[in-house]
């Protein structure tokens, strides 16, 4: 024990460790992780300054720094220059939002599933493919050089969403999540930092945590990432890149304005940041805003996945990659994928080139608008953000109830929704809100039942 007594000294964490175990930094990090997991240290708790904790434990500051870094790389802690180190709000959040099986006796309004629209255009193309004499090739290994025309289809799809690119920039991935993982794995080292929105896609958080890449929350202005805050992070937080969902942002359902897109693109060029533009929801808009990649094509990795706009079973994403990043991302995709399914790649390309994808998109849009109009009726007295073409909404809660408390309450009445706490990053405070997936219920009748339950809960707590 040091000379100065800490017996009555107020500290948020006073660990008791066995100094006979080695290495000491690992003993401290394990105790810290144990106390976070078991709720002794709750999210948002500010830890003692490293020097103060070192004095309390009679250790070197470097030992404490090393222990904190271990937990920071696991996503348990969030450190900010000038503010200190906090237990992350998302330390224990469940990043795997789609359950292995559909929740029994629950109306699913949590997972972002598109409506179950008619998939006849896909079925039509699939039947044609299987009737061809060489149909067996769809079940073998794919070689990109043998089907380069599929990249033309990718370019056409991106043009449909307002982004002009060329085939030499196109790579294929097994869905958007796969593309995100490959990008981070190829462009980041453990300990690197990337900027994200205060609430962001949990799949990104999961991948970053697995790769020991730290996520840095960037302040927003009316749910749009602030260019001023981004520039501050470039100067002070040593970020290497950023991740954005500019259209129908998940989970807040917001849009990044064209002005903000241009500003962020200029900052990316100024600081040589890589930008992951997740365009999963881009095609839901009948007249899409220009992709961020349009303003910084040499910095932006544009990921156009198809599960939300065409069909969830199409586990395929087209990735437009700047020349400077193409080789490392291509190698990462190969090592993560081995190959993209030739069957899905061909089916998707034919659906696009034949313009049948427009039929699918329009069918989804009509159903989505209908569902949102019903949601508007139930939530007319509450703040429910989002547009009629989005497949989920951001419901800001009345009163003082937290998102986590509301998420726990809703299943007791038979409805599943997801709280802001699942999406929050680092030491940011989660908004008192929940994400409501209006297209996840299988039928309109089930949607109305779920909305009625949520309205009853809101009426009771306001």
């Amino acid at each position: 024990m040091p000379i100065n007594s800490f017996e009555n000294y107020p500290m948020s964490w006073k660990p008791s460790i066995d100094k006979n175990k080695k290495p000491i930094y690992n003993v401290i990090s394990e105790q810290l992780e144990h106390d976070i997991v078991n709720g002794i240290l709750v999210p948002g708790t500010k830890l003692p300054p490293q020097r103060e904790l070192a004095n309390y434990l009679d250790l070197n500051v470097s030992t404490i720094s090393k222990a904190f870094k271990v937990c920071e790389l696991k996503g348990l802690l969030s450190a900010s220059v000038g503010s200190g180190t906090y237990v992350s709000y998302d330390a224990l959040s469940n990043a795997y939002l789609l359950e292995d099986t559909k929740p029994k006796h629950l109306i699913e309004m949590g997972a972002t599933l598109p409506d179950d629209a008619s998939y006849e255009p896909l079925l039509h193309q699939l039947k044609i493919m299987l009737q061809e004499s060489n149909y067996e090739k769809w079940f073998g290994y794919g070689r990109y050089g043998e089907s380069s025309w599929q990249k033309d289809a990718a370019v056409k799809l991106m043009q449909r969403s307002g982004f002009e690119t060329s085939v030499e920039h196109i790579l294929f991935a097994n869905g958007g999540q796969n593309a995100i993982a490959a990008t981070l794995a190829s462009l980041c080292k453990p300990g690197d930092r990337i900027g994200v929105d205060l609430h962001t896609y949990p799949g990104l958080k999961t991948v970053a945590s697995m790769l020991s890449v730290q996520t840095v929350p960037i302040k927003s202005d009316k749910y749009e990432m602030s260019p001023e805050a981004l520039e501050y992070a470039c100067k002070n937080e040593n970020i290497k890149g950023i991740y954005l969902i500019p259209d129908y942002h998940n989970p807040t359902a917001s849009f990044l304005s064209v002005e903000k897109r241009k500003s962020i693109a200029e900052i990316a060029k100024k600081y040589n940041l890589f930008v992951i533009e997740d365009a999963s929801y881009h095609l839901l808009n009948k007249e899409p805003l220009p992709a961020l990649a349009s303003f910084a094509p040499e910095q932006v990795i544009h990921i156009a996945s198809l599960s939300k706009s065409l069909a969830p079973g199409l586990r395929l994403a087209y990735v437009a990659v700047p020349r400077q990043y193409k080789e490392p991302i291509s190698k990462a995709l190969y090592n993560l994928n081995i190959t993209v399914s030739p069957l899905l790649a061909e089916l998707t390309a034919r659906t696009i080139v034949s313009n049948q994808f427009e039929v699918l998109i329009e069918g989804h849009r009509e159903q989505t608008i209908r569902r949102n109009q019903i949601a508007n009726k139930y939530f007319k007295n509450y703040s429910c953000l989002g547009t009629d073409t989005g497949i989920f909404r951001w419901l800001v809660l009345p009163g003082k109830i937290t998102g986590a408390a509301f998420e726990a309450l809703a299943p007791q009445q038979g409805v599943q929704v997801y709280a802001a706490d699942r999406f929050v990053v680092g030491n940011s405070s989660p908004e008192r809100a929940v994400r409501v997936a209006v297209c996840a219920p299988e039928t309109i009748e089930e949607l109305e039942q779920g909305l009625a339950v949520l309205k009853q809960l809101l009426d009771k707590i306001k």
Side-chain angles (χ1 to χ4, degrees):
M1 194 71 182
I3 296 173
N4 296 325
S5 174
F6 285 84
E7 184 177 347
N8 298 311
Y9 188 78
M11 290 176 66
S12 59
W13 188 52
K14 293 183 177 181
S16 177
I17 61 170
D18 183 354
K19 292 186 180 179
N20 293 319
K21 294 182 179 179
K22 304 293 180 183
I24 291 293
Y25 80 87
N26 203 42
V27 175
I28 297 171
S29 68
E30 288 177 354
Q31 183 63 49
L32 185 52
E33 181 174 356
H34 174 274
D35 288 354
I36 292 172
V37 170
N38 289 280
I40 297 169
L41 288 172
V42 299
T45 300
K46 185 176 181 179
L47 293 180
Q50 293 182 19
R51 187 169 299 280
E52 189 175 289
L53 190 58
N55 287 338
Y56 173 72
L57 295 173
D58 200 16
L59 296 169
N60 292 327
V61 175
S62 60
T63 303
I64 305 300
S65 298
K66 202 168 182 180
F68 277 24
K69 179 59 69 174
V70 170
C71 288
E72 193 175 352
L73 289 174
K74 291 182 179 181
L76 299 172
L77 300 180
S78 178
S80 181
V81 177
S83 297
T85 303
Y86 295 79
V87 178
S88 295
Y89 276 96
D90 59 344
L92 303 178
S93 65
N94 178 11
Y96 300 95
L97 296 190
L98 187 58
E99 305 289 345
D100 291 338
T101 59
K102 181 181 176 181
K104 294 180 180 179
H105 313 302
L106 287 182
I107 297 175
E108 176 62 83
M109 299 187 73
T112 54
L113 302 172
D115 69 280
D116 190 12
S118 171
Y119 296 123
E120 286 184 10
L122 291 173
L123 180 60
H124 174 71
Q125 292 295 337
L126 187 58
K127 285 180 176 179
I128 292 174
M129 290 170 58
L130 295 179
Q131 288 171 1
E132 293 174 1
S133 58
N134 59 347
Y135 70 89
E136 67 279 354
K137 67 182 179 182
W138 312 129
F139 301 97
Y141 282 114
R143 297 180 185 274
Y144 295 138
E146 296 175 356
S147 54
S148 58
W149 77 275
Q150 293 175 358
K151 293 187 176 182
D152 292 325
V155 169
K156 178 176 180 177
L157 187 79
M158 291 180 183
Q159 287 173 336
R160 165 66 175 73
S161 62
F163 175 47
E164 296 287 340
T165 188
S166 54
V167 293
E168 59 264 26
H169 292 288
I170 300 298
L171 297 173
F172 294 164
N174 280 324
Q177 181 77 2
N178 181 226
I180 292 169
T183 301
L184 290 183
S186 60
L187 302 185
C188 295
K189 304 185 300 294
D192 281 350
R193 300 158 72 86
I194 61 167
V196 298
D197 289 291
L198 298 179
H199 296 81
T200 196
Y201 169 50
L204 179 279
K205 296 199 298 178
T206 303
V207 171
S209 178
M210 289 174 62
L211 296 173
S212 295
V213 173
Q214 297 177 50
T215 52
V216 177
I218 309 296
K219 291 181 179 179
S220 61
D221 177 21
K222 296 179 180 178
Y223 296 104
E224 294 182 89
M225 182 179 286
S226 164
E228 293 77 18
L230 174 59
E231 185 142 28
Y232 176 88
C234 291
K235 293 176 180 178
N236 298 283
E237 299 285 0
N238 194 31
I239 62 172
K240 191 172 185 178
I242 57 174
Y243 168 84
L244 286 167
I245 307 177
D247 304 271
Y248 305 92
H249 173 262
N250 185 5
T252 63
S254 60
F255 285 77
L256 194 64
S257 68
V258 174
E259 180 184 357
K260 289 282 199 315
R261 294 177 198 225
K262 290 179 179 179
S263 297
I264 289 172
E266 287 305 311
I267 292 170
K269 288 187 280 189
K270 179 179 178 181
Y271 292 94
N272 194 30
L273 300 176
F274 70 80
V275 181
I276 302 176
E277 180 178 26
D278 188 339
S280 296
Y281 306 96
H282 204 69
L283 287 170
L284 300 180
N285 199 345
K286 195 162 189 174
E287 296 181 2
L289 297 174
L292 199 147
S294 301
F295 306 115
E298 293 306 312
Q299 305 299 136
V300 180
I301 298 100
H302 180 85
I303 301 173
S305 60
L306 305 173
S307 61
K308 300 299 189 289
S309 56
L310 296 185
L314 287 180
R315 305 309 301 167
L316 178 67
Y318 298 132
V319 190
V321 183
R323 189 174 289 106
Q324 63 173 320
Y325 305 132
K326 187 175 180 183
E327 184 177 354
I329 293 178
S330 179
K331 288 180 179 178
L333 283 169
Y334 176 81
N335 288 317
L336 289 172
N337 285 347
I338 303 304
T339 184
V340 170
S341 163
L343 178 65
L344 292 184
E346 183 73 10
L347 174 60
T348 304
R350 291 191 185 199
T351 304
I352 293 169
V353 171
S354 67
N355 287 326
Q356 288 298 300
F357 80 106
E358 295 283 8
V359 177
L360 274 170
I361 291 173
E362 188 57 36
H364 284 308
R365 185 179 295 115
E366 290 175 0
Q367 286 293 321
T368 301
I369 291 173
R370 182 185 176 193
R371 285 170 176 251
N372 274 294
Q373 288 172 344
I374 296 171
N376 292 339
K377 180 181 68 173
Y378 280 90
F379 295 143
K380 64 182 179 180
N381 295 324
Y382 298 97
S383 178
C384 189
L385 308 180
T387 69
D388 285 353
T389 51
I391 63 176
F392 55 87
R393 305 289 288 272
W394 188 241
L395 180 62
V396 181
L397 299 171
K400 296 182 179 180
I401 191 169
T402 65
F406 191 88
E407 179 185 323
L409 189 62
Q412 297 174 22
Q413 305 301 317
V415 180
Q416 175 74 68
V417 293
Y418 290 145
D421 307 58
R422 292 177 177 258
F423 307 93
V424 74
V425 177
N427 61 359
S428 308
S429 237
E431 188 171 356
R432 291 187 303 101
V434 293
R435 190 187 70 187
V436 181
V438 296
C439 288
E442 294 183 359
T443 64
I444 293 293
E445 292 72 25
E446 190 177 58
L447 170 67
E448 293 230 35
Q449 291 174 23
L451 292 171
V453 168
L454 295 179
K455 183 181 182 300
Q456 288 173 1
L457 292 175
L458 292 170
D459 291 343
K460 288 180 180 179
I461 64 176
K462 71 177 181 180

